[in-house]
Amino acid sequence: MRAIPLTVTALAAALLLTACDDGGGKKGDGAGSACEIGGVSVEIGSASVAPAAGDTGEIPVSLTNQSASCTLDHFPVVSLGTGETTATVPALKGAKAQQLKLAKGDSASFSISYVRGKDGDKTALAAKTVKITLPGSDTSRSFSWKYGPVAGKADGSGPDATVSAFQQVGD
């Protein structure tokens, strides 16, 4: 009759170990903890601004790790804000996220692509800010959006913009 208590103990241990993992592979995977905005500098680089309604623009975002080794695992979370509403920018369709480990001083980048909307158009998002959150973190940083209104998708599901996967910068 000792088999039942051992089975219950083994099951309880397995559940406790599972509870330690968030299921997203972001923490506790041996590759370091998730990168945090406070330990990583974030810079929005020179943008390829969409000059007129209907044109596509691209905004590069660079990250440099300023602290202990950390991991970027999935896509960045990017949202555009008007001051009254916020819209999340989806990942580029078909893009594959890769796990990147950043040692102190290592850099990575991603880009935000968007279609410029018409000023005053009801379907366009008159964005004033862009908020960036790294995967596995709750901390975010906001920047001014100086690139004009963002067109709405034809199906009305949000802004016509996408976020690319992280890419390692340098060697």
Side-chain angles (χ1 to χ4, degrees), residues 11 13 32 38 44 54 57 84 99-100 106 126 134 143:
L11 180 60
I44 293 185
E84 298 168 7
Q99 186 182 76
L100 297 179
D106 285 352
L134 300 180
F143 298 87

Side-chain angles (χ1 to χ4, degrees), residues 20 22 27 33 37 86 90 92 105 116 146 157 160 163 170:
C20 292
D22 64 3
K27 298 179 183 170
S33 61
I37 290 283
T86 301
L92 178 64
R116 185 160 182 158
K146 311 177 236 182
S157 64
D160 194 352
V163 175

